[in-house]
Amino acid sequence: MAVSSADDFQSTVQKSYDRMSELKAFDDTKAGVKGLVDAGINNVPQIFILPPKNRTESSDNCGTQFIFPVIDLEGIDKDPIKHKEIVDKVRDASETWGFFQVVNHGIPTSVLEEMLQAIRQFFEQDVEVKKQYYTRDGTKKVIHTSNFDLYSPTVPAANWRDTLYCLMAPDPPSPEELPTACG
């Protein structure tokens, strides 16, 4: 078969590529992206590579800066009009962007720093310790996973991320359910 362009070559490669098998093999390790890094991989696996048709055309992606919503919670509990304005901003940011930054939330910096340290400690643990929390069962209170949408047919490439969820409301996990690093 003659290949006349990079896109034709990529298309040919993808026809013989069994994405679902690679996704399953990755997920079955229960080691996540950190496991790939710790194993010393030299090349990014195909499941993480965005197909050319889904890439942006910008030649300056590295210099792009995004301005995203920042929501200030100052006064949310003191003024009903301010409360409504903030709720509207949260709704708009959620619908438009899917995320936002919150400032003046009242959580002390020391608590945020302790949380980040606990997460780092969790992910630096031996893979065998982390595997006991790895699941795709959304009913669990503590979930370690890589790509909650890993098997979604609408997602063209897996994200290079691992996640630890600790569902705290309305019924938080008991201290025994939390990873030791986070307890």
Side-chain angles (χ1 to χ4, degrees):
M1 167 189 254
V3 177
S4 59
S5 72
D7 286 341
D8 287 345
F9 175 74
Q10 188 67 27
S11 176
T12 302
V13 168
Q14 288 177 342
K15 285 179 186 170
S16 63
Y17 168 63
D18 185 356
R19 183 172 188 269
M20 191 54 68
S21 292
E22 191 171 333
L23 289 171
K24 184 161 178 19
F26 167 75
D27 198 33
D28 285 350
T29 68
K30 298 184 177 188
V33 171
K34 178 81 166 71
L36 293 174
V37 172
D38 289 348
I41 63 161
N42 293 316
N43 296 307
V44 175
Q46 183 71 33
I47 61 171
F48 296 101
I49 299 173
L50 197 61
K53 68 181 180 184
N54 297 93
R55 299 177 192 165
T56 61
E57 294 297 320
S58 174
S59 61
D60 188 27
N61 285 337
C62 294
T64 302
Q65 289 190 357
F66 295 101
I67 299 172
F68 53 89
V70 177
I71 299 176
D72 188 346
L73 298 184
E74 184 73 38
I76 192 169
D77 57 348
K78 296 179 179 141
D79 178 359
I81 294 171
K82 181 82 168 172
H83 183 275
K84 183 184 179 330
E85 288 172 0
I86 292 171
V87 168
D88 290 343
K89 287 179 182 178
V90 168
R91 181 183 306 106
D92 182 59
S94 298
E95 291 173 353
T96 305
W97 286 83
F99 63 93
F100 50 88
Q101 179 182 1
V102 177
V103 296
N104 294 318
H105 43 65
I107 300 172
T109 303
S110 61
V111 172
L112 298 174
E113 289 170 357
E114 287 176 32
M115 180 199 64
L116 290 172
Q117 183 60 31
I119 295 299
R120 285 185 193 105
Q121 287 176 352
F122 175 81
F123 283 108
E124 290 299 324
Q125 294 180 103
D126 184 78
V127 70
E128 293 304 316
V129 175
K130 292 183 288 190
K131 278 184 180 181
Q132 61 188 305
Y133 297 98
Y134 194 94
T135 183
R136 295 210 170 273
D137 180 354
T139 65
K140 302 273 187 185
K141 293 180 183 178
V142 180
I143 300 170
H144 167 229
T145 192
S146 184
N147 289 269
F148 65 89
D149 56 358
L150 187 67
Y151 294 107
S152 173
T154 61
V155 177
N159 291 294
W160 189 261
R161 74 161 173 245
D162 292 330
T163 304
L164 178 65
Y165 297 99
C166 295
L167 305 175
M168 304 306 281
D171 184 28
S174 67
E176 297 79 32
E177 291 174 281
L178 292 170
T180 305
C182 301

